[in-house]
Amino acid sequence: MQNSTTWQFDQLTQLHQRITALQQLAGQPDLVVLYQGRAWHHRDFLELSLRFALLAKSLGHDVHLYEEWFAQEAAWFCHYGLDWRRA
C-alpha cells in the first residue's frame, strides 16, 4: 500500500504530464485539444495548473512562478469561477 507522500508525488507527476501535453491551451480560450480520449478546454488547463500548484505547494515546492502566471490570467480564472489565490 502506498503512503500519502508517494501517492501525492504520483498525482503531481500525472498532473505535470497532462499540463505538458495540453500546454498549447495556455492563452487560447477558443482552442480544444483532444488528449487521452477526451476534449480539453482552456478551463481544464487552468484547473489542472491550479491543482498542480496547490499540490506542489503542499509538498513544499516553490510555486511563485505559477502564482505570477495565475495573477496574469486572473481575468480568466474569474471568468471560469476558479479561485487562483488559493495557490
Side-chain angles (χ1 to χ4, degrees):
M1 184 164 193
Q2 289 185 340
N3 67 31
S4 176
T5 304
T6 301
W7 180 85
Q8 289 173 319
F9 182 76
D10 290 346
Q11 287 291 359
L12 198 63
T13 301
Q14 289 174 9
L15 287 168
H16 182 263
Q17 290 171 345
R18 284 188 185 139
I19 290 168
T20 300
L22 299 170
Q23 66 186 348
Q24 64 266 34
L25 288 171
Q28 300 290 330
D30 298 323
L31 187 64
V32 177
V33 173
L34 298 176
Y35 175 68
Q36 292 183 333
R38 73 167 270 206
W40 296 80
H41 300 86
H42 187 243
R43 177 190 173 108
D44 298 317
F45 180 74
L46 294 179
E47 286 176 334
L48 288 172
S49 299
L50 183 57
R51 286 178 45 205
F52 179 86
L54 290 170
L55 183 55
K57 188 174 185 177
S58 76
L59 293 171
H61 296 282
D62 179 14
V63 296
H64 82 277
L65 292 178
Y66 271 92
E67 292 168 341
E68 289 176 10
W69 177 65
F70 292 162
Q72 292 172 358
E73 296 290 318
W76 283 110
F77 279 92
C78 183
H79 174 75
Y80 296 128
L82 302 172
D83 185 7
W84 62 272
R85 292 167 297 229
R86 294 183 299 153

